[in-house]
Amino acid sequence: IDGCLSTASGAAFASQKPTLCITGDLAFFYDSNALWNKHFPPNLKVIMINNEGGGIFRFLDGPEKTGMLEEFFEARHQTSAEHIVKAFGLTYYKAFDERSLSASLISLFKNDMTPALLEIQSPAEETAKTLRYYFSHLGQKMA
């Protein structure tokens, strides 16, 4: 979790190729100082899934059974990346449904030499259900 944006920034800077970083909200906020780098690469695109906390703990065994999931494991919040991203001069996009996601993805990748972030709003409970469904079907044979 720690340093994923900084690592992606370094990889994009070193490769000079279009680079995509897909991250969660907490990982992004923990490492948002990566945006402060005066050499932040223009070829880096970031997709941040904002499910208002550490949604990974909703599909790991254990945390739900403690009664402390939301407060201590997920670190629930209602923070957006918009102002942080704009403060550092990146282009900001936001998606909250399938239609806005399609439009935002097109815009995000349209200019491949402009650093930008797409924030996808996803309710924590729905994200967990979707991930459980996805992982349950990974091992199944395709018909």
Side-chain angles (χ1 to χ4, degrees):
I1 292 174
D2 293 341
C4 61
L5 186 57
S6 293
T7 300
S9 175
F13 181 80
S15 74
Q16 297 297 305
K17 295 179 182 177
T19 304
L20 176 64
C21 174
I22 301 175
T23 186
D25 49 356
L26 292 185
F28 172 81
F29 291 127
Y30 289 159
D31 196 24
S32 61
N33 279 336
L35 302 174
W36 204 341
N37 184 338
K38 69 179 182 177
H39 299 290
F40 195 82
N43 53 314
L44 179 61
K45 306 293 185 195
V46 180
I47 295 177
M48 187 259 275
I49 301 169
N50 188 342
N51 55 11
E52 299 179 342
I56 189 172
F57 295 106
R58 285 199 175 266
F59 66 90
L60 294 177
D61 289 334
E64 281 189 337
K65 298 173 186 171
T66 66
M68 298 180 272
L69 174 66
E70 290 184 7
E71 186 173 357
F72 294 106
F73 286 91
E74 283 189 320
R76 293 297 292 257
H77 66 85
Q78 295 184 346
T79 305
S80 170
E82 180 177 7
H83 297 294
I84 294 171
V85 169
K86 288 181 176 179
F88 289 107
L90 277 72
T91 303
Y92 173 81
Y93 302 99
K94 182 175 185 175
F96 47 87
D97 60 18
E98 193 172 338
R99 184 176 176 178
S100 62
L101 177 61
S102 293
S104 294
L105 284 170
I106 291 168
S107 297
L108 179 71
F109 294 112
K110 194 175 196 177
N111 184 350
D112 61 340
M113 291 310 289
T114 300
L117 179 136
L118 166 58
E119 180 171 13
I120 301 172
Q121 289 294 142
S122 179
E125 295 79 8
E126 192 62 34
T127 302
K129 287 179 196 172
T130 302
L131 283 172
R132 280 191 188 108
Y133 178 80
Y134 173 74
F135 289 137
S136 73
H137 286 80
L138 277 180
Q140 295 181 5
K141 287 186 177 182
M142 300 289 285

